[in-house]
Structure formats: structure tokens, C-alpha cells
Amino acid sequence: MATRRSNGEGTIWYAKSEGRFRAQYPDATGRRRTITGKTRKDVEKKLRIALTKRDSNTLEEMSSIAGTVEELLTTFLQSIEGKREPKTVERYSLDVNRYLIPTLGKMKLNQMTSDVIELSYSTIQRNFNLSDNSMAHCHATLRGAIKRGIKHKKLATNPLLGVDAPSRKRVQIQPLTETQMLSAIDYSAKNEGIMWSSMWRIHLLTGFRQGEVLGLTWEDVDFNEGTLRLHRQLQRQKDKGLVLKTLKADANKRTIKLDLPTLALLRTWKSQQSQFRLQLGKWGETNFIFTNSVGNPLEPRKAAKKWAELLKAVGIPHIKLHGARHTFATVMLQKNVDTKVVSHYLGHTDISTTQNIYQHVNSEMLANTANLIGEMAQ
């Protein structure tokens, strides 16, 4: 026999054909919701929780209308469009469209459990041969979508709570030694064009990122003061091509003093580039320092290829162009340049970031330490 409660508090009864207790109650929209359990006590507890959620406006949507994982992921991407950096949105989109939707997309939200997610992660990593860092990013993307889903009452609980989350592994980049760095600079000055030798000096002697170097314009150089102002970067964005983007973080907008040889080299390059412009008769709209043959921004892939060729010519094992940033920071710290100064060059707000990431222990440092110990203990 059904137990009727006060209006809006629901009804509990025993469904003999099912061998279970059931309860129904109206949600905030007036829709009837059903709860089931093996005992009356189970159902009463679930009903109390549901009514509390309803009255506090935290009751999740019915599983039948909450939608699928694909809908959850798609609306998440729509919600961050225009609020996050374009490159960030691109990366989230890659996780969603290439990995998560094909694996989890068709599933109803109430079917997404921690076991299912862990199995899906294994499938993704196996099928796409993703690194641990890529899997960790994929997990972060799903976490963001689920967090939004809970906020909008699409999910009652977080299915990620029981998931053994993929962990990121810091990739250690072996920087160039001071000797290798100077050899690369010297070789470029003798064997490459002045534009390239200027570029490698800035990369290796400022610690700027590739996009920051390629985004420099002549207006950023003050030859009288001997300074270089950094406030933009060149970035390739999906469907937009190369875009000159203003740096948002104040720490990343910085001015440094250039060493005199680099300043002189840039002065010579500016004069030479001006002659090219006059001969050509047309030039790119933006006054970039480093350009292709018609004055348009230099393609990052071309710069990376030239860097690889330089290292090969000098006989240095290959490292990515970003390794020039690591090289600058490590060499400066080895020379006891104040960490605050190195952090300023790199655009870090916290000097511990500089110390933790870029102060590499290499064979040269170990040898110097051994010599110091030997001299001390003679």
C-alpha cells in the first residue's frame, strides 16, 4: 500500500512485481521523478536527499534528458570560446573531437562511471599512442566539461572522483653548454646571413620564446637606449594563419637591455633590410625584424628547420629551438647572474619557477663542483 505524504513530499510504495520499493516526487518544474530501492529505508533516504536538492535548487536533471557525453563536451567547448586563448581552445578541441567524443561521446551521462572512464583512457592511449602528458591534458579537458556539467545540474556526482588520473611528467630538455652556445653564435656569424645570426643571438642571449622573437618589430628596438621591448608574439591559429598577438600578462611584457654586439648587428640588418625593401618595391604590412623575402612574417617551421641545420653544421646534438631559452637561463644562472634578473628576461613572476625549471645539473657543473671539493680538501 502506498504511503502518501504531504503535498510535494512524494509517495512511497512497494512494487510487488519488481520486488522493490519505489517513490515518486515532483521536481521544481513539476515533472514526476522516480526513485527505487531494495528497502523502504533506502528509498526514504534517497527521497530526503532528492527533496533537499530540489528545495535548494541543486537537483540534477533527469538522466533521460540530461544528454550524452558528446553534448556535454560540445557545450563545454562553446562555453570557453572567446574566454580562453585561441591556442588553448584549439588544444581542448583536439582532445574533445579526436579522442573523447569518438570514445565516450555516445554514452548517456548517467552511464559515465569511473570504471568506464579509466577503460576509455586505456583505449585512447593504446589507439593513439599518446604520451603521459597528452593523456593528462585529455583528462583535464574532461574534468573541465564535467565540472561545468555539475554546475548546470547535468550530473549528480563527479565520475572522475574514483579515476586514477594520468600524471604529467616534466620533460627534461638538455640545454647547450656555454661552449656549444658560443660555437653556434660564432658559426652563424661567419656562415649564415645577417638576419639569421641576429635571430640566434636574440634567442640564445635573451631567453625569449620563438613566438616572441618572431613577433618583434623595428618599433620594439630603441637604438639610442639600447633596449628591446617585448609585448607581442607571433602565433599560428587555426583558420587564421599567423597572427600577431599582444601578450596579456604584465610579467611577459618586458624591456631588456641588449648587448652591444647584438645591437650593432641589428642596426646593420635594419639598413640591409631597408635596401631589400627599396629593391623589391613592396613589403609586408607589419614592420617585422625577421621576415621572409617579401617582408611577411617568418614561418615558425622554417626557423625551426634553420636551427636544426645550424646545430648539425656545428656538430651539436639536436635540441628543439625552445632549448635556446633553457640554454640562456642555465648559462646565466651558472654565471651567478641574479635569479631575479634571469626571471625578468624569461618573463616569470616567481623566481622559484626559474630555479626549478632551468637550473639544470650538467656534467660541467658536476666537474666544477668536484674540482672545488678537491681544492678545499687538499
Side-chain angles (χ1 to χ4, degrees):
M1 183 175 179
T3 302
R4 295 192 175 277
R5 299 149 63 89
S6 57
N7 191 33
E9 295 302 304
T11 302
I12 300 175
W13 74 94
Y14 180 70
K16 189 174 181 180
S17 61
E18 300 175 10
R20 301 173 66 82
F21 283 87
R22 298 175 68 89
Q24 278 194 343
Y25 68 97
D27 64 16
T29 66
R31 290 194 301 265
R32 301 295 296 178
R33 302 253 190 142
T34 300
I35 293 172
T36 64
K38 292 183 178 181
T39 66
R40 176 181 288 274
K41 189 175 181 180
D42 289 340
V43 172
E44 287 176 344
K45 182 180 179 180
K46 292 179 181 179
L47 183 58
R48 284 196 303 271
I49 293 172
L51 294 175
T52 300
K53 287 184 176 181
R54 180 196 66 186
D55 297 340
S56 62
N57 197 32
T58 59
L59 184 65
E60 63 277 2
E61 287 189 1
M62 295 171 62
S63 59
S64 60
I65 63 173
T68 63
V69 177
E70 179 174 359
E71 292 166 347
L72 180 79
L73 291 166
T74 301
T75 54
F76 168 67
L77 286 181
Q78 293 170 347
S79 72
I80 64 173
E81 191 74 41
K83 297 178 182 178
R84 303 281 184 91
E85 293 295 323
K87 296 296 287 185
T88 301
V89 176
E90 281 183 32
R91 182 60 194 271
Y92 279 133
S93 298
L94 176 68
D95 290 340
V96 167
N97 296 315
R98 182 176 294 182
Y99 310 129
L100 295 172
I101 285 181
T103 311
L104 287 164
K106 294 181 180 179
M107 187 178 299
K108 290 285 187 181
L109 290 181
N110 64 323
Q111 298 173 325
M112 187 168 55
T113 65
S114 58
D115 288 342
V116 168
I117 292 172
E118 285 190 345
L119 182 61
S120 297
Y121 282 173
S122 297
T123 301
I124 290 171
Q125 191 159 29
R126 182 177 63 253
N127 290 348
F128 295 96
N129 194 29
L130 295 188
S131 66
D132 291 336
N133 286 349
S134 293
M135 284 305 306
H137 196 283
C138 201
H139 174 75
T141 301
L142 182 60
R143 183 176 63 225
I146 287 175
K147 182 179 179 180
R148 184 177 184 276
I150 293 173
K151 178 182 178 181
H152 289 270
K153 304 170 193 173
K154 301 289 185 182
L155 290 160
T157 57
N158 188 346
L160 287 176
L161 292 179
V163 171
D164 186 10
S167 57
R168 294 181 182 273
K169 293 183 179 179
R170 179 172 290 175
V171 179
Q172 292 291 344
I173 298 178
Q174 183 63 42
L176 304 182
T177 64
E178 181 183 353
T179 301
Q180 289 173 325
M181 178 185 76
L182 295 177
S183 295
I185 289 174
D186 183 62
Y187 179 90
S188 178
K190 294 176 179 177
N191 298 279
E192 294 188 328
I194 191 170
M195 185 189 80
W196 291 110
S197 56
S198 300
M199 179 184 290
W200 304 141
R201 285 191 71 94
I202 290 178
H203 267 292
L204 289 164
L205 301 178
T206 68
F208 288 180
R209 300 174 181 88
Q210 184 187 25
E212 295 169 343
V213 174
L214 295 180
L216 291 170
T217 64
W218 288 114
E219 288 77 16
D220 298 325
V221 184
D222 188 326
F223 286 104
N224 293 324
E225 295 294 326
T227 59
L228 183 63
R229 181 172 65 113
L230 181 63
H231 60 110
R232 292 177 295 191
Q233 65 177 330
L234 191 69
Q235 190 179 84
R236 177 169 289 285
Q237 296 179 6
K238 187 177 180 180
D239 301 326
K240 294 182 180 179
L242 293 175
V243 175
L244 191 59
K245 175 182 169 294
T246 300
L247 298 173
K248 289 187 177 180
D250 290 337
N252 286 324
K253 299 175 182 178
R254 55 203 186 273
T255 299
I256 66 161
K257 278 275 189 180
L258 285 170
D259 63 281
L260 293 179
T262 300
L263 200 63
L265 202 60
L266 283 173
R267 195 188 299 273
T268 304
W269 168 234
K270 184 178 182 182
S271 175
Q272 195 176 106
Q273 190 189 73
S274 296
Q275 295 177 23
F276 292 155
R277 296 175 72 160
L278 289 173
Q279 293 171 4
L280 193 64
K282 62 178 180 178
W283 202 251
E285 295 180 5
T286 307
N287 203 17
F288 287 108
I289 295 176
F290 305 110
T291 69
N292 61 17
S293 59
V294 292
N296 290 324
L298 194 63
E299 182 63 49
R301 284 175 294 185
K302 181 176 181 180
K305 182 180 178 182
K306 286 288 291 185
W307 168 257
E309 292 171 354
L310 171 64
L311 295 185
K312 184 177 181 180
V314 183
I316 298 174
H318 177 74
I319 63 171
K320 291 183 178 180
L321 184 50
H322 192 71
R325 176 175 169 86
H326 290 250
T327 298
F328 165 79
T330 302
V331 171
M332 292 301 103
L333 291 170
Q334 287 173 357
K335 288 185 169 295
N336 298 317
V337 175
D338 192 294
T339 307
K340 289 184 179 179
V341 175
V342 179
S343 294
H344 174 74
Y345 272 77
L346 298 173
H348 291 158
T349 56
D350 188 347
I351 63 172
S352 65
T353 302
T354 307
Q355 293 170 324
N356 293 337
I357 298 178
Y358 296 105
Q359 195 160 11
H360 302 270
V361 176
N362 57 32
S363 58
E364 184 177 345
M365 294 169 66
L366 293 173
N368 291 340
T369 302
N371 292 335
L372 179 65
I373 293 171
E375 292 171 3
M376 179 182 66
Q378 280 182 349

